[in-house]
Amino acid sequence: MRAYNFSAGPAILPVEVLKEAANEILDYEGTGMSIMEMSHRTKTFEKVLNDAEALLREIMNIPSNYKVIFVQGGATTQFAAIPLNLMSDNKKAAYIETGNFSKKAYQEAKIFSPEGVRIVASSKDKNYTYIPDCSNLDIDKDDDYVYICENNTIFGTKFHTLPDTKGKPLVSDQSSCFLSEPVDVTKYGVIYAGVQKNVGPSGLAIVIVREDLVRDELVFKTPTMLNWKVQIDAGSLYNTPNSWAIYICGKVFKWIKDLGGLEVMKKRNEAKAKVLYDYLETSKLFKNEVEKKDRSIMNIVFRTESEELDAKFVSEAKNHNIVSIKGHRLVGGMRASIYNAMPIEGVYALVDFMREFEKENLK
Ligand SMILES: *Cc1c(COP(=O)(O)O)cnc(C)c1O
């Protein structure tokens, strides 16, 4: 039986995709081997890679002046790649701090430019339970980019309006909201995501970068693998890529397309999130502390009044086939990650159990 897997990542994938991959694992399209065993220089794998990129471009409506690369090292490796690739001699950038991942990205950028990298807005004062006002940021004329983490996986918040970057390129970590809803790619300089939250296996990141931001000459001495231009020129095949993850992502893109694309994903995701938020609003035992206007529809955090009761909830949830519901260690409580592949039945099962638990445990 499949579990209702609420893991934040690596996370639930569509059962249709897993079955297809299972069917092909001994013999991919008559080649007598699986994609895992195949040279990345074969025509067969090249087609897998090219088809994946083409499908991604189609479902996200990525304009032709944006490059797409599939790179290794997850999202975290890009925390360094971003300043290394985007900074001019100014070496200045503005970061918006809305949680752990934007803080880490900021700290990484500071390694390369301790003076020039600044936090221009933060929600740290209220433990990242909201998105700060970004309508009049202190952007410097020399800033090379403005950085956000668009959906905060750990704290359960999301930018529903993009910051006013005053004309500077916006760099967005979309790891936990990638392909969860339509986005206007033209509003961004760079979109990137570790794929293991909403689209595939771990260890792969997708970087979508506007052509004019790709530098021929980098300001910093940069490891070859982190140089976007090298990856772009090599068509993501500079070295052996994470071929298995690219293959699964391609299948997930196809799954999204066949269901009707990102508009449909958004409707499904909003419907799922509504079931859980509606219950949380009426519950006397569980609470969600996130500012309503800034709620994530991908990661929903909640807690009871005590850590003991939270632990009891997590433990008893397993008997209801509800797994990986424990909150991140920085926040405690619970977190339901309800990515694209989570069926609404999983959310119904969770809310049913929460009601039952509330009845039994409310003093
Ligand atoms: C998980 C996550 C990361 C880190 O991803 P890795 O692939 O583990 O490096 C970065 N940003 C966000 C928003 C995430 O959710």
Side-chain angles (χ1 to χ4, degrees):
M1 188 178 60
R2 294 275 294 165
Y4 291 129
N5 173 11
F6 290 93
S7 170
I12 189 169
L13 287 169
V15 70
E16 296 86 344
V17 166
L18 296 175
K19 279 187 178 160
E20 239 183 75
N23 278 334
E24 293 172 348
I25 204 154
L26 295 180
D27 181 6
Y28 179 73
E29 293 191 345
T31 57
M33 61 185 82
S34 83
I35 286 288
M36 266 188 274
E37 304 166 290
M38 189 183 295
S39 163
H40 57 295
R41 305 286 175 199
T42 54
K43 283 268 171 305
T44 308
F45 181 72
E46 235 172 74
K47 183 169 185 320
V48 168
L49 177 61
N50 293 340
D51 288 355
E53 179 178 337
L55 272 166
L56 180 66
R57 284 184 174 277
E58 186 183 341
I59 56 181
M60 280 186 83
N61 198 14
I62 301 174
S64 58
N65 65 323
Y66 283 75
K67 302 290 186 188
V68 176
I69 46 175
F70 296 84
V71 290
Q72 299 186 50
T76 305
T77 302
Q78 297 306 311
F79 294 171
I82 285 158
L84 290 171
N85 283 278
L86 293 178
M87 281 186 170
S88 67
D89 287 325
N90 300 332
K91 298 184 185 173
K92 288 191 109 172
Y95 278 68
I96 298 165
E97 183 197 31
T98 54
N100 196 46
F101 289 118
S102 47
K103 189 166 105 193
K104 281 184 161 169
Y106 159 77
Q107 287 167 340
E108 192 79 2
K110 271 183 86 82
I111 295 173
F112 306 103
S113 181
E115 306 296 309
V117 173
R118 295 137 25 248
I119 288 176
V120 292
S122 172
S123 53
K124 193 178 175 186
D125 60 338
K126 290 184 186 159
N127 197 29
Y128 307 118
T129 52
Y130 70 104
I131 300 293
D133 177 14
C134 297
S135 58
N136 187 19
L137 298 168
D138 185 18
I139 309 285
D140 193 282
K141 69 170 186 0
D142 288 339
D143 276 331
D144 290 314
Y145 60 91
V146 178
Y147 183 98
I148 62 169
C149 176
E150 198 157 332
N151 185 79
N152 295 284
T153 324
I154 296 173
F155 295 92
T157 61
K158 160 138 205 294
F159 281 85
H160 293 290
T161 338
L162 295 178
D164 180 355
T165 64
K166 303 187 177 171
K168 300 299 178 192
L170 178 65
V171 177
S172 177
D173 177 357
Q174 287 193 352
S175 295
S176 51
C177 58
F178 195 58
L179 304 184
S180 65
E181 59 180 38
V183 294
D184 180 354
V185 176
T186 64
K187 292 201 169 122
Y188 301 83
V190 178
I191 294 172
Y192 78 102
V195 303
Q196 77 276 21
K197 307 291 160 71
N198 209 17
V199 263
S202 60
L204 177 71
I206 295 174
V207 181
I208 303 166
V209 53
R210 212 175 64 208
E211 213 165 40
D212 59 287
L213 299 175
V214 180
R215 291 172 184 280
D216 289 326
E217 299 283 334
L218 299 183
V219 169
F220 300 95
K221 286 188 176 148
T222 300
T224 311
M225 284 292 287
L226 297 190
N227 186 324
W228 289 342
K229 178 141 196 328
V230 169
Q231 299 288 0
I232 290 166
D233 289 347
S236 303
L237 291 171
Y238 176 74
N239 74 330
T240 318
N242 187 339
S243 51
W244 175 256
I246 292 168
Y247 159 79
I248 297 292
C249 283
K251 288 192 182 300
V252 172
F253 301 157
K254 180 77 175 22
W255 177 81
I256 291 172
K257 184 187 164 182
D258 290 348
L259 281 171
L262 296 186
E263 284 293 348
V264 171
M265 285 303 126
K266 181 180 187 193
K267 284 209 182 77
R268 285 163 53 113
N269 291 328
E270 283 177 345
K272 284 184 284 177
K274 185 171 188 310
V275 171
L276 186 45
Y277 280 123
D278 280 356
Y279 167 67
L280 284 168
E281 280 184 13
T282 60
S283 172
K284 294 194 169 58
L285 181 68
F286 297 100
K287 54 183 189 295
N288 163 281
E289 288 150 335
V290 166
E291 186 88 42
K292 196 168 174 177
K293 67 172 184 16
D294 302 323
R295 286 170 171 176
S296 167
I297 60 167
M298 292 278 96
N299 311 95
I300 301 180
V301 292
F302 54 94
R303 62 172 78 249
T304 67
E305 73 259 1
S306 79
E307 277 178 37
E308 292 70 40
L309 213 47
D310 289 346
K312 186 176 175 207
F313 178 86
V314 170
S315 155
E316 290 182 8
K318 291 195 189 87
N319 306 330
H320 297 257
N321 200 29
I322 292 163
V323 303
S324 298
I325 193 79
K326 193 169 187 255
H328 190 276
R329 60 188 186 279
L330 290 173
V331 183
M334 278 73 68
R335 168 175 53 176
S337 296
I338 49 175
Y339 298 123
N340 287 350
M342 172 62 70
I344 196 160
E345 290 74 21
V347 184
Y348 290 144
L350 173 61
V351 170
D352 283 347
F353 170 56
M354 288 169 79
R355 281 187 210 283
E356 197 181 298
F357 190 87
E358 174 163 355
K359 219 183 275 167
E360 278 167 19
N361 293 282
L362 192 65
K363 281 180 243 116

